Amino acid sequence: MAGSLNKVILIGNVGRDPEIRTTQDGREIASFSLATSDAWRDKGSGEKKEKVEWHKVVIFQPHLVGVVRNYVHKGSKIYLEGSLQTRKWTDPNGVEKYTTEVILQPYSGALLLLDARSNDESSFDEARSSASSSTQEERSKPYQVEEIDDDEIPF
């Protein structure tokens, strides 16, 4: 199908500490659950409502697995870009099951840490600047945030 796109962008909180596994050929894979939520006020009752969605995330990109291992834990707020992948598997009882996951493959996808929970700010900045799927040259540049005043905004 020409013109199709499989891209997922999520901002949410990690639901459990990530699990790092090693494949038979020595590659590391990180996996964790990510919660996203939508909140609204019920028009009829005025009651605040919230719906939480849970997403399974699997990271195959070696550099990002290292970032996850060192900086991501239960409760971390993250931004990620990946693609959806559904796989079929058979449970121990012989029943075929399907699961859909957000996948971050090598050379595609991105992961940004959105909250600083570490006292070592330089390590956090290093992880943040290198977490995206940018080139090595871009990764070597330091991560900087510039403050601007309202009167400097061009609109």
Side-chain angles (χ1 to χ4, degrees):
M1 172 190 246
S4 65
L5 176 67
N6 180 354
K7 183 167 186 159
V8 175
I9 298 174
L10 297 172
I11 296 175
N13 293 88
V14 176
R16 59 179 168 84
D17 286 336
E19 178 183 340
I20 309 292
R21 297 184 317 271
T22 304
T23 63
Q24 291 179 347
D25 62 355
R27 293 179 298 136
E28 290 188 315
I29 299 169
S31 62
F32 55 89
S33 58
L34 187 72
T36 58
S37 64
D38 190 17
W40 69 94
R41 191 162 300 279
D42 184 270
K43 290 181 181 179
S45 67
E47 178 183 350
K48 185 177 177 183
K49 303 233 177 179
E50 181 178 31
K51 181 178 181 186
V52 176
E53 291 287 339
W54 288 96
H55 312 275
K56 293 180 181 181
V57 178
V58 182
I59 301 176
F60 293 95
Q61 190 174 30
H63 186 72
L64 294 182
V65 171
V67 171
V68 168
R69 178 191 300 103
N70 294 320
Y71 302 102
V72 176
H73 56 275
K74 180 179 178 177
S76 295
K77 185 175 224 49
I78 63 171
Y79 166 97
L80 63 80
E81 293 181 20
S83 59
L84 286 179
Q85 190 173 87
T86 301
R87 62 183 172 87
K88 182 171 122 177
W89 55 281
T90 305
D91 74 6
N93 297 325
V95 178
E96 288 186 352
K97 298 196 174 198
Y98 294 86
T99 187
T100 300
E101 301 163 323
V102 178
I103 305 295
L104 281 72
Q105 295 279 6
Y107 307 107
S108 67
L111 172 75
L112 295 174
L113 309 175
L114 298 179
D115 58 357
R117 295 191 185 245
S118 170
N119 292 333
D120 184 358
E121 195 169 312
S122 63
S123 295
F124 177 74
D125 287 343
E126 177 186 324
R128 194 167 175 170
S129 66
S130 63
S132 69
S133 61
S134 57
T135 65
Q136 182 62 37
E137 179 181 313
E138 291 172 324
R139 281 195 283 257
S140 65
K141 296 177 185 175
Y143 177 77
Q144 295 178 338
V145 176
E146 294 181 27
E147 290 189 29
I148 59 172
D149 295 324
D150 288 340
D151 54 349
E152 292 180 22
I153 298 174
F155 52 83

